Amino acid sequence: MALVDVLAAVPPGSADEGLARRIDFDRLPRHVAVIMDGNGRWAAARHLPRVEGHRAGIESVRDTVETSARLGLQVLTLYAFSVENWKRPETEVSALMSLLRHYLRAELKTLLKNNIRFHVIGQLDRLAPEVREELEAAVTRTAGNTGMHFNIALSYGGRAEIVDAAREAVRRGLTPAQIDEDTFGSLLYTAGQPDPDLLIRTSGEMRVSNFLLWQIAYAEIWVTETLWPDFRAKHLLKGITEYQKRDRRYGAVSSDPVGALK
Ligand code: FPP
């Protein structure tokens, strides 16, 4: 997957094509994580119920997953439902769950065709059995795929994930001397995957909202004003070009101090 695959899916001469051509495919972020936000505001602006914003957001999910796979990202993680979202009205929660099931039914073939490996991360025991079964079936069906890992964070909380990892360390009888950052990382839901290089948040909010707290330690953050239902390939491409302008120092000194001032 690379430039030709992205170009095959964008209109010739479009802004998307221009953005795709600006991407340095040798320096792609390995893992992009997205906080999909703004569905409610998108719906409110159209005098529609909130759930219509979530429904419209499905098209953005489809476009983002497909573009990420075409780009050749190793991992894409989408934040679909947080542990805090359980506090939303029951009607909204069940609408979100049924949209998710609808998405899986409609998209499983595309995930398989694109060699995408599907995972769900979060406190899955809190999900209704029929939702869990459908998710598990999609995980199993795509387990043999060797392309992009696509994580959906569902009933997910970053602090809860860290607590779960600490409990797992105790359960395995690990001694303090056996626990370091690598072993701890291997107890998280994202074990074996690279940490996000780029965290995208839509709808302009400057928060990390309990998302992948451990894993985003060195992620570059890009916030766009675009509301999630309006998010398309061109926004993802723009986020990646912005990421590629950053000087990642990991706490060290700049490799290009003059360039960093430009
Ligand atoms: C945040 O918008 C969005 C969510 C809580 C849900 C995101 C879910 C989807 C896009 C659909 C299902 C997902 C998949 C992966 C198929 P908000 O409601 O908090 O918006 P607001 O801040 O404008 O109120």
Side-chain angles (χ1 to χ4, degrees):
M1 295 285 169
L3 180 61
V4 279
D5 301 290
V6 180
L7 292 180
V10 300
S14 64
D16 301 31
E17 183 187 337
L19 282 164
R21 289 191 182 282
R22 273 166 46 201
I23 288 177
D24 177 352
F25 281 79
D26 293 328
R27 289 193 308 118
L28 280 179
R30 287 178 306 167
H31 182 169
V32 174
V34 187
I35 301 177
M36 307 182 285
D37 195 14
N39 296 355
R41 277 163 284 170
W42 185 92
R46 288 160 181 76
H47 308 287
L48 294 170
R50 292 177 58 78
V51 64
E52 292 308 319
H54 299 318
R55 197 187 310 282
I58 295 279
E59 195 47 45
S60 314
V61 169
R62 210 174 274 140
D63 205 29
T64 303
V65 171
E66 199 165 319
T67 308
S68 300
R70 283 176 183 272
L71 277 163
L73 300 187
Q74 286 180 33
V75 188
L76 172 73
T77 303
L78 300 182
Y79 200 5
F81 192 86
S82 70
V83 280
E84 292 81 13
N85 289 154
W86 287 113
K87 293 183 220 140
R88 293 194 177 196
E90 157 64 23
T91 46
E92 186 175 343
V93 171
S94 66
L96 271 167
M97 295 299 159
S98 81
L99 281 172
L100 180 75
R101 294 174 75 189
H102 171 81
Y103 167 83
L104 281 180
R105 272 181 222 147
E107 290 302 300
L108 187 57
K109 265 197 201 135
T110 314
L111 298 182
L112 289 166
K113 192 182 89 198
N114 289 315
N115 197 21
I116 294 170
R117 191 159 171 188
F118 177 69
H119 307 267
V120 197
I121 58 172
Q123 296 191 324
L124 306 188
D125 50 338
R126 295 180 70 179
L127 299 173
E130 62 277 13
V131 177
R132 211 165 51 222
E133 278 160 24
E134 206 146 336
L135 289 164
E136 279 162 5
V139 170
T140 308
R141 289 282 305 279
T142 63
N145 288 349
T146 53
M148 185 181 81
H149 292 260
F150 167 31
N151 303 321
I152 287 192
L154 204 60
S155 187
Y156 176 86
R159 287 185 173 182
E161 179 182 24
I162 291 168
V163 170
D164 279 352
R167 287 193 178 131
E168 182 60 19
V170 173
R171 206 187 57 77
R172 292 189 193 180
L174 296 183
T175 62
Q178 287 172 312
I179 300 177
D180 59 18
E181 292 186 10
D182 287 340
T183 25
F184 200 82
S186 74
L187 301 174
L188 296 169
Y189 306 149
T190 52
Q193 299 181 353
D195 288 339
D197 297 300
L198 172 62
L199 171 66
I200 296 177
R201 182 169 190 143
T202 60
S203 92
E205 309 283 355
M206 300 285 182
R207 289 191 286 275
V208 295
S209 296
N210 200 14
F211 187 42
L212 301 176
L213 294 181
W214 175 280
Q215 298 89 332
I216 62 168
Y218 292 103
E220 294 296 328
I221 302 179
W222 182 67
V223 176
T224 170
E225 293 294 326
T226 304
L227 304 177
W228 179 251
D230 293 324
F231 192 92
R232 288 292 179 277
K234 67 175 173 200
H235 301 102
L236 177 64
L237 299 175
K238 173 80 177 151
I240 292 175
T241 59
E242 291 299 320
Y243 161 82
Q244 291 186 333
K245 289 181 196 160
R246 306 273 177 94
D247 179 28
R248 300 186 81 194
R249 293 194 293 277
Y250 302 95
V253 291
S254 171
S255 54
D256 176 16
V258 178
L261 293 173
K262 283 181 191 157

